Amino acid sequence: MEQENKVLEVARRTVRIEAQAITDLVDGIDSAFAKAVLHIHHANGRVIITGIGKSAIIAQKIVATMNSTGTPAIFMHAADAIHGDLGIVQTNDVVICISKSGNTPEIKVLVPLIKNFENKLIAITSNRDSFLGQAADFILHAAIKEEACPNGLAPTTSTTAQLVLGDALAVSLLELKGFTDKDFARYHPGGALGKKLYLRVQDIIEKNNKPEVHASTTLRDVIVNISENMLGMTVVTEDSKAIGIITDGDLRRMLSSGKNIDDLVAGDIMSSYPKTITADSMAIQARELMEEMNISQLIAVDDEAYAGVVHIHDLIREGIV
């Protein structure tokens, strides 16, 4: 129990230190930050982000965030840059260099080379007076009071501050660009996230059978139709429009009533005014509608004409649920 309490104490202290550091960053976001964002926004080139050690890992994450939100970015490792990778940097590119101390040997070699190319240099550093800070055109001050590491050695709070400033850059640029969820979907076509942003009801119903009967269809034929289409339901149509729905549950309730099925047709047991959704609606909207109405399927319509059926199982299969 004593060891467990010690672990909890250390973990909570770490979170408190880093949380306070993030809060303190707010006051340090000044006109230099705004000018840096605007320069990137108006630049014709890409954003090249470089660093070494743990800062290099943060640089890669910021690159990924920028690329996914409409700002073209490339990672360049500071050590590799001075051994040939500096060719990545083109005339109109903006370079962001990340370094806590701003005085590491690789940074001291790299920075003058970037300046010789006349590229604008943005520094994310905890030390304004460092070699990097003095050379930068814009300084984003990742100021911290202490590392969460009790020895003050392992980059912890400092890398968190760098990451947060990188997110602030990316989101600011996103806002300036008017980047929308549709733009986001273009960069995230894979996985459940992408499907939530671009998958439409039409894309789903194309893969499904299209069960359909008429009001005068005999109950025996209704049962066959439901069985053949394997969706647990069928749609009653008239003049190409959906006027009702019959589910497995409707059939069970009818059979338990003791009525003679030979005397019944679809119109006798259908539920009128079925819930519908337009075929061009997003699949995520279908899920939300099903949850709101506590139902498991929706009839898709195209210009009021019956177009198909989307079932909760379809949404589960596509990762929408």
Side-chain angles (χ1 to χ4, degrees):
M1 181 61 71
E2 183 178 345
Q3 282 187 322
E4 181 178 318
N5 290 336
K6 180 63 176 178
V7 168
L8 294 175
E9 177 187 343
V10 171
R12 289 165 180 163
R13 183 187 69 227
T14 300
V15 173
R16 281 196 296 267
I17 290 172
E18 297 202 12
Q20 185 59 53
I22 293 173
T23 300
D24 292 343
L25 286 178
V26 174
D27 294 333
I29 296 180
D30 53 15
S31 61
F33 183 94
K35 289 174 182 176
V37 170
L38 291 171
H39 183 77
I40 294 173
H41 180 60
H42 294 299
N44 294 321
R46 307 155 303 175
V47 179
I48 311 297
I49 309 182
T50 188
I52 195 162
K54 305 298 187 297
S55 294
I57 297 172
I58 298 301
Q60 292 178 67
K61 190 276 177 186
I62 298 172
V63 164
T65 300
M66 286 189 170
N67 281 328
S68 69
T69 53
T71 300
I74 298 176
F75 169 69
M76 178 179 69
H77 196 283
D80 293 335
I82 60 179
H83 292 285
D85 281 4
L86 197 57
I88 291 172
V89 183
Q90 301 299 303
T91 304
N92 296 318
D93 292 341
V94 180
V95 180
I96 299 176
C97 187
I98 306 176
S99 172
K100 176 189 175 183
S101 71
N103 288 317
T104 57
E106 294 84 358
I107 297 300
K108 286 186 173 182
V109 174
L110 176 60
V111 166
L113 298 174
I114 293 171
K115 299 299 290 184
N116 286 341
F117 290 166
E118 299 185 351
N119 295 86
K120 290 295 183 181
L121 177 63
I122 299 171
I124 298 181
T125 181
S126 299
N127 186 1
R128 289 181 180 273
D129 298 323
S130 64
F131 184 86
L132 172 60
Q134 292 295 319
D137 296 289
F138 310 100
I139 299 177
L140 308 188
H141 194 202
I144 63 166
K145 294 177 181 177
E146 60 179 322
E147 295 284 12
C149 167
N151 299 314
L153 298 174
T156 45
T157 312
S158 58
T159 47
T160 298
Q162 293 166 359
L163 184 63
V164 170
L165 285 176
D167 284 344
L169 272 176
V171 174
S172 296
L173 289 164
L174 178 155
E175 292 276 359
L176 283 174
K177 293 174 183 293
F179 199 80
T180 67
D181 57 350
K182 291 183 176 62
D183 297 314
F184 197 79
R186 290 195 300 144
Y187 295 107
H188 297 76
L193 176 60
K195 287 182 178 180
K196 287 180 181 180
L197 293 168
Y198 75 80
L199 191 70
R200 296 185 180 276
V201 170
Q202 181 63 49
D203 302 321
I204 293 175
I205 63 175
E206 288 176 350
K207 303 174 185 177
N208 283 344
N209 293 329
K210 186 182 175 184
E212 181 177 4
V213 296
H214 301 291
S216 58
T217 301
T218 66
L219 199 53
R220 292 181 183 277
D221 287 340
V222 167
I223 294 171
V224 171
N225 185 271
I226 292 176
S227 177
E228 288 179 343
N229 286 284
M230 298 182 293
L231 289 174
M233 50 79 69
T234 190
V235 177
V236 183
T237 64
E238 182 179 293
D239 297 327
S240 300
K241 295 182 180 179
I243 62 169
I245 184 173
I246 301 174
T247 66
D248 282 339
D250 293 325
L251 291 177
R252 286 194 296 272
R253 284 187 290 274
M254 180 275 304
L255 291 172
S256 64
S257 70
K259 294 180 181 179
N260 185 354
I261 66 171
D262 292 329
D263 298 330
L264 297 175
V265 293
D268 296 326
I269 64 168
M270 72 178 188
S271 298
S272 302
Y273 308 108
K275 306 302 180 185
T276 64
I277 189 168
T278 58
D280 64 351
S281 295
M282 304 304 295
I284 187 70
Q285 292 176 288
R287 188 201 74 178
E288 292 169 352
L289 194 56
M290 287 182 194
E291 289 180 347
E292 178 185 337
M293 297 182 173
N294 195 28
I295 56 178
S296 59
Q297 66 270 316
L298 284 167
I299 295 173
V301 296
D302 185 4
D303 194 23
E304 298 188 359
Y306 170 49
V309 175
V310 56
H311 196 281
I312 188 66
H313 293 159
D314 300 321
L315 303 179
I316 293 172
R317 183 181 64 246
E318 297 291 351
I320 302 298
V321 176

